[in-house]
């Protein structure tokens, strides 16, 4: 560890961005370690051995951003396809476009509505609570979109996501449920969207392709921590509660179990993501990866699908989505305090800051952390030496 100016824990988007900047902009020597056997963090993907189809190993990853700086930055390491994400949902054996839009509303209520008629209908249905403050997620959702759409598209899906009746979930989980009063069924509104032409892992290879950067995989920080000299700057993107040995309590997460299958058909569902809103279907959605890359030459007789099952995470599981109750917020603040006192260590990324971050947000946060925390520290150390 003595040879390096900077040690980074975690080779996801946060760690890789900081490593790339420290090496390419400042000419610093960087060691990046990850306990997994691959780079890329949760954005890692690999080509399925039987079919060659690129599979995102930790769930579907769609790149989109409103942030021109992040888009330009990432474009140094990849070109993007013109993929535009769309999501459908299966409910009682019918298929509807998500997020709820005028097409969904016309189909669901079985007639044509103008935008104003649809607005009036949803407003009337959402008035069911008569101004009462929603006491749980169900009431909150009804106050936003009315009962019929809630019961079809939100209730079962949410119950499966949280393994909890929506009447027992806090209303604070949802602040808004987007309804579009036009026929636009693009999932994201961002001006920049696309998938990496050569896949996600190629981005990370290019970001870390610098003789000043060494990558050490299958290495857990806590197994080597003692050997790192105390004057080294460390960027830590693992779970913040684990760093402090859970001394202020455990932060709660949800996880997903992925059930992957290769099927002997050319096209299983005709689209990349099909949600399942019915409560009696145990999975929340099915991904079919070939549809993310229609430009590629994939086999015509085989396809890869993944069913997703959602549940609360234990310590042994991959943490995916912060549960983020008020109690979690309090616990996190206690860790923030400890982190501020931990000189020489910068906490970042989704695990290090207990926040759901999209990829563009993780990259944006890393660029900012590099400018305001990492770079001043590395330059300061250089001056002191
Ligand atoms: P990330 O988790 O990627 O990296 C952290 C790394 O630290 C991991 O590789 C881990 O192994 C390592 N680590 C942890 N503890 C360690 C230790 N003790 N020692 C060594 N290494 C350690 N975003 C988006 O923009 N579009 C999308 O469609 C999706 N989809 C999506 C689906 C699902 C199911 C999830 C969970 C997330 C998404 N995301 C997403 C979010 C995206 O995955 C996220 O923005 C990035 O992974 C964040 O990058 P980080 O570097 O912060 O964490």
């Amino acid at each position: 560890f003595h040879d390096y100016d900077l040690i980074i824990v975690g080779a996801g988007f946060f760690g890789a961005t900081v490593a790339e900047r420290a090496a390419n902009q400042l000419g610093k020597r960087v060691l990046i370690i990850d306990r997994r056997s691959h780079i890329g963090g949760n954005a890692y993907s690999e080509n399925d051995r039987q079919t060659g189809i690129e599979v995102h190993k930790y769930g579907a990853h769609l790149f989109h951003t409103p942030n021109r700086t992040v888009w330009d930055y990432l474009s140094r390491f990849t070109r993007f396809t013109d993929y535009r994400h769309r999501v459908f949902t299966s409910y009682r054996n019918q298929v509807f476009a998500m997020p709820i839009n005028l097409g969904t509303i016309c189909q669901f209520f079985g007639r044509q509505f103008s935008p104003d008629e649809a607005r009036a209908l949803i407003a009337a249905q959402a008035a069911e609570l008569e101004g009462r403050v929603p006491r749980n997620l169900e009431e909150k959702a009804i106050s936003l979109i009315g009962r019929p759409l809630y019961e079809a598209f939100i209730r079962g899906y949410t119950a499966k996501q949280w393994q909890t009746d929506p009447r027992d979930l806090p209303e604070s989980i949802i602040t808004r449920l987007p309804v579009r009063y036009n026929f636009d069924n693009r999932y994201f509104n961002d001006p920049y969207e696309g998938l990496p032409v050569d896949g996600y892992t190629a981005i990370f290879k290019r970001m870390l392709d610098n003789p000043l950067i060494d990558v050490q995989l299958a290495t857990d920080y806590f197994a080597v921590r003692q050997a790192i000299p105390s004057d080294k700057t460390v960027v830590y993107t693992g779970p913040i509660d684990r760093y402090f040995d859970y001394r202020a309590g455990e932060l709660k997460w949800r996880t997903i179990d992925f059930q992957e299958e290769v099927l002997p058909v050319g096209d299983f569902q005709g689209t990349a993501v099909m949600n399942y809103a019915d409560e009696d279907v145990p999975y929340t959605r099915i991904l079919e990866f070939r549809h993310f890359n229609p430009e590629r030459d994939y086999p015509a007789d085989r396809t890869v699908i993944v069913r997703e099952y959602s549940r609360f995470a234990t310590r042994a599981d991959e943490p995916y989505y912060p549960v983020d109750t008020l109690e979690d917020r309090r616990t996190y603040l206690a860790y923030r305090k400890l982190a501020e006192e931990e000189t020489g260590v910068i906490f970042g990324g989704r695990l290090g800051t207990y926040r759901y971050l999209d990829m563009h947000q993780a990259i944006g946060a890393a660029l900012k952390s590099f400018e305001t925390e990492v770079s001043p520290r590395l330059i300061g150390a250089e001056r002191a030496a």
Side-chain angles (χ1 to χ4, degrees), residues 9-15 33-36 40-43 58-62 64 219-222 237-239 256 258 320-321 349-351 356-360 362:
V9 182
F13 265 121
F14 194 97
I33 64 172
D34 203 297
R35 66 173 172 201
R36 291 176 176 164
N42 275 5
Y58 302 90
H61 275 69
L62 293 313
H64 59 98
T219 303
D220 192 315
Y221 171 66
F222 299 103
T237 73
I256 299 172
F258 299 108
Y320 284 146
Y321 299 103
R350 56 182 205 98
L351 301 165
Y356 178 80
L357 295 175
D358 269 328
M359 292 180 279
H360 71 95

Side-chain angles (χ1 to χ4, degrees), residues 6 8 12-28 30-32 73-74 76-77 203-210 212-213 363 366-367 370 374:
L6 177 64
I8 298 177
F13 265 121
F14 194 97
T17 302
V18 174
E20 184 280 323
R21 290 288 71 206
N24 287 327
Q25 188 177 315
L26 298 180
K28 295 294 177 190
V30 182
L31 175 66
I32 181 161
Y73 174 73
L74 207 57
R76 295 187 207 170
F77 311 103
I203 300 182
F204 290 91
K205 284 192 183 143
R206 291 183 197 125
M207 290 176 89
L208 302 176
D209 180 21
N210 183 321
L212 292 172
I213 303 176
I363 296 164
L367 290 172
F370 176 76
V374 183

Side-chain angles (χ1 to χ4, degrees), residues 12 115 187 205 239 246 259 315 343 359 380:
Y187 198 72
K205 284 192 183 143
Y246 306 104
Q259 194 187 76
R315 243 184 232 185
T343 45
M359 292 180 279

Side-chain angles (χ1 to χ4, degrees), residues 156-222:
Y157 196 80
T158 307
K160 289 192 284 186
Q161 265 184 320
W162 292 90
Q163 304 277 287
T164 305
D165 188 313
R167 285 169 298 193
D168 297 328
L169 288 167
E171 48 88 28
S172 58
I173 290 178
I174 42 171
T175 45
R176 48 189 288 274
L177 286 172
V179 176
R180 292 191 192 141
Y181 294 101
N182 58 36
F183 288 95
D184 176 9
N185 67 353
R186 260 184 71 179
Y187 198 72
F188 300 116
N189 292 317
D190 290 327
Y192 307 104
E193 180 178 355
L195 289 172
V197 166
D198 313 306
Y200 279 99
T201 305
I203 300 182
F204 290 91
K205 284 192 183 143
R206 291 183 197 125
M207 290 176 89
L208 302 176
D209 180 21
N210 183 321
L212 292 172
I213 303 176
D214 286 335
V215 180
Q216 209 172 300
L217 298 173
T219 303
D220 192 315
Y221 171 66
F222 299 103

Side-chain angles (χ1 to χ4, degrees), residues 107-359:
Q107 186 185 350
F108 185 76
F109 293 104
R111 55 160 274 216
Q112 183 173 8
F113 288 88
S114 72
D116 283 344
E117 286 169 344
R119 253 191 214 98
L121 172 78
I122 303 307
Q125 292 180 344
E128 183 183 318
L129 288 190
E130 297 175 325
R132 207 159 35 76
V133 179
R135 288 167 305 191
N136 54 47
L137 189 148
E138 174 162 304
E139 291 187 356
K140 179 68 179 276
I142 290 171
S143 77
L144 293 169
I145 60 169
R147 185 178 290 276
L149 292 174
Y150 160 73
E151 287 185 347
F153 299 122
I154 310 294
R155 183 170 66 190
Y157 196 80
T158 307
K160 289 192 284 186
Q161 265 184 320
W162 292 90
Q163 304 277 287
T164 305
D165 188 313
R167 285 169 298 193
D168 297 328
L169 288 167
E171 48 88 28
S172 58
I173 290 178
I174 42 171
T175 45
R176 48 189 288 274
L177 286 172
V179 176
R180 292 191 192 141
Y181 294 101
N182 58 36
F183 288 95
D184 176 9
N185 67 353
R186 260 184 71 179
Y187 198 72
F188 300 116
N189 292 317
D190 290 327
Y192 307 104
E193 180 178 355
L195 289 172
V197 166
D198 313 306
Y200 279 99
T201 305
I203 300 182
F204 290 91
K205 284 192 183 143
R206 291 183 197 125
M207 290 176 89
L208 302 176
D209 180 21
N210 183 321
L212 292 172
I213 303 176
D214 286 335
V215 180
Q216 209 172 300
L217 298 173
T219 303
D220 192 315
Y221 171 66
F222 299 103
V224 299
R225 182 186 204 175
Q226 298 305 331
I228 299 175
S230 58
D231 61 341
K232 291 285 170 208
T233 299
V234 173
V235 170
Y236 175 84
T237 73
I240 192 166
D241 53 355
R242 168 70 185 93
Y243 183 92
F244 293 105
D245 236 345
Y246 306 104
R247 81 175 80 142
E250 213 162 321
L251 291 164
K252 291 190 290 303
W253 292 84
R254 283 188 298 122
T255 193
I256 299 172
D257 296 316
F258 299 108
Q259 194 187 76
E260 188 176 320
E261 250 183 293
V262 177
L263 300 177
V265 292
D267 194 349
F268 172 74
Q269 62 183 13
T271 194
V273 176
M274 182 69 73
N275 290 349
Y276 282 84
D278 298 284
E279 217 171 331
D280 55 357
V281 176
Y283 37 86
T284 50
R285 55 184 193 171
I286 299 182
L287 314 178
E288 185 173 15
F289 281 98
R290 66 180 307 122
H291 294 294
F292 287 132
N293 299 100
E295 77 285 0
R296 292 188 191 159
D297 193 13
Y298 284 151
D301 58 351
R302 277 165 301 159
T303 196
V304 182
I305 64 160
V306 170
R307 289 189 172 80
E308 293 191 354
Y309 300 81
S310 187
R311 62 179 169 81
F312 283 100
T314 68
R315 243 184 232 185
D317 294 313
E318 290 292 345
Y320 284 146
Y321 299 103
V323 172
D324 212 15
T325 58
L326 277 176
E327 189 196 331
D328 288 315
R329 287 277 107 202
R330 275 196 290 273
T331 308
Y332 175 65
L333 285 179
Y335 284 122
R336 258 320 323 150
K337 263 217 167 103
L338 290 169
E340 276 152 26
E341 291 155 15
E342 194 74 0
T343 45
V345 182
I346 294 157
F347 293 80
R350 56 182 205 98
L351 301 165
T353 57
Y354 190 63
R355 267 189 307 164
Y356 178 80
L357 295 175
D358 269 328
M359 292 180 279

